[in-house]
Amino acid sequence: MTAYDVLRVFCGPRGGYGNELGVVRDGSVLPGPDERQEFAAELDFSETVFVDDPERGVIDIYAPTTRLPFAGHPCVGAAWLLDVPELVTPAGVVGARQDGEFCWIEARAEWVPPRTLRQYATAVEVDELPVPPKGEWIYAWAWLDEPAGRVRARAFPGRDDCIDEDEATGAAALLLTDRLGRALNITQGAGSQILTAPQPEGWTEIGGRVHLER
């Protein structure tokens, strides 16, 4: 059995919730893309990270059915676990820093695959949404408190796999922050928390709490 860690990324203020993430610290045990894809499907998390160089922060990210050049919660989780100043992903170099209980990464909106950001009038509407049909990646959101930058969100990847709803999605939060041009405090899924902040020259920071499950 391949050894791996399980993290919860973007946990709530009391440490609960968060999106589960598998991390294979020794990526050399599964060097090929087909092997990695099969293992990610077996784990059944929304994403699994394979670490190819822990000192340089070189990582490879897989959803159950596809490889991802960049993804938010895997990068936050890997940065926290490896405790490195940057990560090297196929999309580009991701800055990372620790700040008290939060781990932050810095990435760019153009690294995120296309997805639909769909605004609703109230958080209640977002809460009551059924899972939409497959085929479109939808980030449903509404203001909880617009002046304060507080957002209610849910994420529906729309892929042909077991993940009907993503508990916490850093990449979609990055896109929303880039579109709105302001810092956000996002409550997503059952109770996860994602913090974001625009940075100069098109960069965006994404932060959250990370807990080691095992």
Side-chain angles (χ1 to χ4, degrees), residues 15-94:
Y17 308 105
N19 200 357
E20 285 189 311
L21 173 71
V23 181
V24 179
R25 295 203 200 202
D26 183 5
S28 66
V29 300
L30 293 170
D34 291 342
E35 297 171 286
R36 293 181 175 189
Q37 189 65 77
E38 182 179 357
F39 190 69
E42 289 177 3
L43 289 188
D44 217 18
F45 299 135
S46 59
E47 279 97 18
T48 299
V49 169
F50 299 86
V51 180
D52 290 319
D53 187 331
E55 293 185 359
R56 292 178 53 229
V58 180
I59 64 171
D60 197 14
I61 306 168
Y62 285 77
T65 59
T66 189
R67 183 175 185 240
L68 301 172
F70 166 80
H73 105 273
C75 285
V76 172
W80 178 86
L81 187 66
L82 300 176
D83 193 20
V84 290
E86 64 182 29
L87 298 170
V88 181
T89 74
V93 178
V94 176

Side-chain angles (χ1 to χ4, degrees), residues 6-18:
V6 179
L7 310 179
R8 284 186 295 111
V9 183
F10 298 127
C11 296
R14 297 183 180 180
Y17 308 105

Side-chain angles (χ1 to χ4, degrees), residues 152-176:
R152 172 72 177 119
R154 292 173 66 193
F156 304 102
R159 300 186 300 253
D160 189 18
D161 59 26
C162 61
I163 312 298
D164 291 330
E165 181 171 353
D166 218 357
E167 173 61 25
T169 315
L174 186 161
L175 284 182
L176 184 61

